């Protein structure tokens, strides 16, 4: 079931299995089911956040797809089908990774003719609105490349809000937004427990006044949030312990009010709940979808501990203080006492919002630096997702095409999967939770560069320690050669192979890709022969000449990036990112794309959720949860739009 279910455009769909789900108690299964319902109900929020026209466009295209009764075998209809599948995958009309707007392979005239043939009652027409009105509003957004071309724009020197199509702001400029939140922070004064300003609001300017519309059960997204709350209330009734029930209640209270102080309380309670086997993330969390790094995209994931794999992550977390104390950063920026590092390997049971269909392989929360410092953090690596990725990669020919020689390839085949998992663990469990801000440093000081710097910091922490004898002593790596598999794969990816995800002529914009490019290009530039590009038979390869010196470079860059974060040095962050993380060599890019095309692989992968079906007894009570893996991608997406469409 981990093989590809479907391919379209640049995407391959996989399935993940709920390993060990049958061993959960009935109460735990019910908890997973209720939390999964709460996870799926947030989908429309994510669509709306990623572009104000996304929901209307989705409804229009779904109506054509399901209600058009003629000519499904034409090139136009097939192009519309691919466009709709891409829209579903990206929660909108912008690429989930590159953020550029999709270009439809069908014409305005074709879509207009289709809309004239489907029942008007099935279209998202507002009161008094005609079909022509609908076309006049949506067609420029769909068909004109110059209209709202990017979901998130991070180009230096531009107004990042007015040039981004994400729907977190209405009518404000970047300067107005920055001034608004700066004023809130100034008014709050020296707050030892600051809220995450702007995390759960739309910033709006109307009639010359700038104000926030809060996302809550009585504010924006109220109808959808009330559905989420309903299922959270059900989940609370089957919580595994009192503390877990308290966590769920605090999340409900936060959703009801939108009060960010309550969100802080929820985060603290959540990070300290580790007795139960079931856990979840639900809410406005990650800020990568906002060019200013303030607004949280809605996401959800339901999970249960992978008991065997968790032994690895807990070994790391038990020694968190040792890793912090031996970090190569300035002692001023280390945590003198690491608190509450909880690390588990988990099986995902349901993905939603910004975590679906494309998902992370690891998560470290909460994001607030002061909560991390005082209460710790909770890290997960998602073992069944990683397993699905690894199975899909077997036999693809990718490594054989890009790795420099047989010896390096053998090293990667021997150690690669294990090292990948371990680096993810170090990144999530320790990297994000390491270090501290100096007193008085604004956690948002790095602005648009903050996400890239933070991901680089966590990656470098993991890379530095991959080569440490401590990992061998702890039984996490078998020998002193294993780390080289990770070093080579990482540098090759940062310098070359991640370019398969970039369109010709484009720069790097996504934060994780910028992070990898920054690290690889900085080490290449600063290393004086540590890394080389080698030409063989007309092809370019990466060669690492000195792995020990490469580790020293990782240490030096980690020390600088931790300084930048700890001091809030915006100018230095901007210099690093713009110098090393953005530009693409067009000649190398074209070569990489050409070689990759010969492999007939999809550069992006995502997942079809399992279908959790409650089994009822004679009294109508849930007596089991059946896991069904047979649902197709299209059926799942249309079902979600019908069952969980609230906006």
């Amino acid at each position: 079931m981990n093989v590809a279910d479907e391919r379209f455009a640049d995407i391959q769909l996989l399935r993940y299995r709920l390993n060990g789900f049958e061993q959960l108690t009935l109460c735990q299964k019910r908890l997973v089911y209720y939390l999964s319902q709460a996870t799926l109900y947030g989908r429309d929020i994510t669509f709306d956040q990623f572009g104000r026209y996304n929901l209307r466009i989705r409804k229009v295209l779904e109506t054509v797809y399901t209600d058009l009764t003629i000519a499904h075998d034409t090139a136009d209809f097939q192009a519309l089908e691919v466009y709709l599948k891409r829209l579903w995958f990206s929660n909108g009309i912008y690429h989930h990774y590159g953020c550029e707007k999709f270009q439809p392979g069908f014409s305005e005239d074709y879509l207009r003719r289709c809309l004239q043939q489907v029942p008007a009652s099935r279209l998202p027409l507002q009161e008094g609105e005609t079909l022509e009105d609908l076309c006049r509003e949506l067609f420029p957004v769909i068909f004109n490349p110059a209209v709202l071309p990017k979901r998130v724009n991070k180009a230096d020197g531009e107004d990042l809000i007015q040039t981004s199509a994400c729907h977190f702001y209405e009518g404000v400029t970047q300067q107005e937004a920055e001034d608004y939140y700066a004023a809130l922070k100034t008014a709050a004064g020296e707050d030892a427990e600051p809220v995450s300003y702007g995390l759960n609001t739309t910033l709006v300017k109307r009639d010359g006044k700038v104000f926030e519309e809060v996302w809550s059960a009585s504010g924006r997204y109220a109808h959808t949030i009330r559905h989420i709350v309903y299922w959270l209330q059900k989940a609370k009734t089957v919580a595994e312990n009192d503390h877990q029930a308290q966590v769920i209640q605090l999340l409900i209270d936060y959703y009801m009010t939108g009060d960010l102080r309550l969100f802080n309380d929820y985060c603290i309670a959540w990070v300290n709940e580790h007795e139960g086997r079931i856990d979840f993330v639900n809410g406005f969390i990650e800020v990568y979808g906002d060019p200013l790094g303030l607004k949280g995209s809605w996401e959800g994931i339901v999970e249960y501990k992978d008991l065997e794999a968790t032994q690895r992550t807990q070994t790391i977390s038990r020694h968190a203080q040792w890793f912090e104390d031996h970090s190569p950063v300035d002692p001023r920026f280390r945590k003198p006492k690491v608190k509450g590092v909880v690390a588990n390997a988990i099986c995902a049971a349901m993905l939603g919002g910004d975590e679906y269909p494309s998902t992370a392989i690891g998560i470290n929360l909460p994001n607030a630096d002061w909560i991390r410092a005082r209460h710790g953090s909770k890290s997960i690596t998602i073992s069944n997702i990683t397993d699905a990725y690894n199975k899909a990669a077997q036999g693809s020919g990718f490594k054989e095409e890009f790795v420099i020689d047989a010896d390096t390839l053998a090293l990667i085949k021997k150690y690669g999967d294990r090292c990948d998992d371990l680096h993810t663990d170090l990144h999530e469990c320790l990297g994000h939770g390491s270090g501290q801000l100096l007193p008085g440093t604004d956690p948002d000081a790095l602005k648009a560069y903050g996400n890239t710097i933070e991901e680089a910091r966590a990656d470098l922490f993991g890379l530095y320690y991959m080569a440490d004898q401590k990992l061998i002593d702890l039984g996490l790596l078998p020998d002193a050669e294993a780390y080289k598999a990770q070093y080579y794969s990482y540098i090759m990816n940062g310098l070359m192979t991640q370019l398969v995800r970039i369109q010709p002529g484009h720069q790097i914009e996504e934060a994780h890709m910028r992070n990898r490019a920054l690290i690889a290009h900085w080490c290449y530039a600063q290393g004086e022969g540590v890394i080389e590009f080698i030409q063989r038979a007309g092809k370019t390869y990466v060669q690492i000449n000195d792995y020990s010196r490469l580790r020293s470079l990782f240490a030096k860059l980690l020390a600088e990036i931790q300084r930048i974060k700890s001091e809030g040095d915006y100018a230095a962050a901007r210099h690093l990112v713009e110098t090393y993380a953005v530009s693409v060599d067009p000649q190398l890019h074209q070569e990489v794309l050409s070689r990759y095309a010969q492999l007939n692989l999809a550069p992006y992968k995502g997942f079809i959720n399992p279908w959790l079906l409650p089994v009822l007894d004679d009294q109508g009570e849930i007596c089991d949860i059946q896991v069904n893996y047979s649902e197709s991608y299209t059926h799942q997406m249309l079902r979600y739009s019908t069952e969980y469409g609230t906006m």
Side-chain angles (χ1 to χ4, degrees), residues 17 68 100 102 109 139 149 170 193 213 259 264 276-277 281 300 307 321 361 381 437 481 493 557 587 634:
R17 295 194 68 84
L68 191 68
E100 68 274 5
F102 302 139
D109 181 63
F139 278 23
E170 294 180 4
E193 300 183 355
E213 291 187 351
D259 184 346
N264 282 349
R277 188 172 179 187
V281 174
L307 299 180
Q321 190 66 59
I361 58 174
T381 54
L437 300 183
E481 291 294 299
N493 189 34
L557 183 56
Q587 185 174 346
T634 297

Side-chain angles (χ1 to χ4, degrees), residues 476-549:
L476 297 171
L477 284 181
D479 56 52
E481 291 294 299
Y483 80 94
K484 295 178 181 178
Q486 186 66 22
Y487 276 26
Y488 187 88
S489 296
Y490 192 96
I491 294 298
M492 180 182 74
N493 189 34
L495 291 178
M496 284 184 59
T497 52
Q498 73 169 359
L499 296 179
V500 302
R501 296 182 164 192
I502 303 289
Q503 291 189 13
H506 287 209
Q507 294 184 322
I508 303 173
E509 297 201 46
E510 199 277 333
H512 296 81
M513 292 184 72
R514 282 187 167 190
N515 140 51
R516 292 187 287 267
L518 189 163
I519 293 171
H521 283 281
W522 186 92
C523 290
Y524 173 73
Q526 301 294 324
E528 298 179 351
V530 171
I531 303 165
E532 285 187 85
F533 284 109
I534 301 295
Q535 297 293 321
R536 290 182 182 169
K539 294 181 178 181
T540 305
Y541 297 91
V542 169
Q543 179 169 290
I544 298 177
N545 295 317
D546 191 329
Y547 283 89
S548 178
R549 286 181 61 202

Side-chain angles (χ1 to χ4, degrees), residues 547-613:
Y547 283 89
S548 178
R549 286 181 61 202
L550 180 56
R551 189 193 188 207
S552 297
L553 290 169
F554 289 150
K556 184 177 179 181
L557 183 56
L558 173 58
E560 172 60 5
I561 282 186
Q562 182 64 63
R563 183 200 67 78
I564 288 170
K565 182 175 175 70
S566 295
E567 296 180 349
D569 189 342
Y570 173 82
R574 178 176 179 269
H575 172 74
L576 272 182
V577 173
E578 294 296 337
T579 303
Y580 298 104
V582 176
S583 299
V584 174
D585 180 329
Q587 185 174 346
L588 178 62
H589 189 196
Q590 186 54 53
E591 178 196 328
V592 170
L593 291 175
S594 177
R595 291 165 65 183
Y596 189 78
Q598 301 301 312
L599 301 174
N600 192 30
L601 301 174
Y604 300 100
K605 294 173 177 63
F607 293 89
I608 299 170
N609 277 328
W611 193 351
L612 301 184
L613 299 168

Side-chain angles (χ1 to χ4, degrees), residues 179-350:
D179 290 346
Y180 180 88
Y181 289 112
L184 287 184
K185 293 175 182 179
T186 299
E190 292 294 327
D191 190 348
E193 300 183 355
V195 300
S196 300
Y197 291 100
L199 183 71
N200 66 334
T201 65
T202 304
L203 190 65
V204 177
K205 184 177 182 180
R206 293 196 193 117
D207 301 322
K209 181 181 178 182
V210 177
F211 60 96
E212 291 181 297
E213 291 187 351
V214 178
W215 308 331
S216 72
S218 58
R220 187 176 281 219
Y221 303 135
H223 185 56
T224 303
I225 289 173
R226 284 196 291 268
H227 279 85
I228 297 171
V229 166
Y230 170 83
W231 287 103
L232 290 175
Q233 289 170 334
K234 298 275 282 185
K236 182 186 171 187
T237 67
V238 291
E240 296 176 273
N241 55 65
D242 290 342
H243 191 177
Q244 192 179 67
Q246 178 193 12
V247 170
I248 297 171
Q249 184 59 54
L250 283 168
L251 180 58
I252 291 170
D253 294 343
Y254 162 61
Y255 269 137
M256 295 302 294
T257 63
D259 184 346
L260 285 170
R261 295 285 176 189
L262 285 174
F263 182 67
N264 282 349
D265 294 341
Y266 158 73
C267 289
I268 293 167
W270 176 82
V271 84
N272 285 297
E273 202 299 293
H274 49 80
E275 295 301 320
R277 188 172 179 187
I278 314 302
D279 207 348
F280 68 100
V281 174
N282 187 297
F284 309 107
I285 307 295
E286 301 293 357
V287 296
Y288 297 96
D290 173 11
L292 300 190
L294 298 173
K295 308 293 180 183
S297 302
W298 193 92
E299 67 178 56
I301 181 171
V302 185
E303 66 199 53
Y304 57 95
K305 289 177 186 174
D306 179 336
L307 299 180
E308 181 178 350
T310 289
Q311 295 178 12
R312 182 186 70 237
T313 57
Q314 291 185 347
T315 297
I316 293 171
S317 63
R318 282 197 301 270
H319 294 84
Q321 190 66 59
W322 185 93
F323 287 101
E324 184 77 1
D325 291 344
H326 290 81
S327 170
V329 307
D330 189 313
R332 293 181 302 144
F333 309 139
R334 298 182 201 149
K335 287 179 178 172
K337 185 175 176 62
V338 177
K339 297 180 181 178
V341 175
V342 178
N344 294 307
I346 60 96
C347 284
M350 192 61 64

Side-chain angles (χ1 to χ4, degrees), residues 13 158 196 352 355 361 415:
L13 271 301
E158 298 184 9
S196 300
E355 288 292 337
I361 58 174
Y415 300 114

Side-chain angles (χ1 to χ4, degrees), residues 49 56 74 76 105 108 171 192 225 239 354 380 385 506 593 643:
Q49 290 179 321
R56 300 196 84 196
T74 66
D76 278 326
E108 292 187 43
I225 289 173
D354 199 14
I380 61 170
I385 295 296
H506 287 209
L593 291 175
E643 294 184 9

Side-chain angles (χ1 to χ4, degrees), residues 421-435:
D421 289 343
L422 184 55
H423 184 254
T424 300
D425 292 340
L426 291 167
H427 173 111
E428 299 294 348
C429 302
L430 302 181
H432 280 308
S434 66

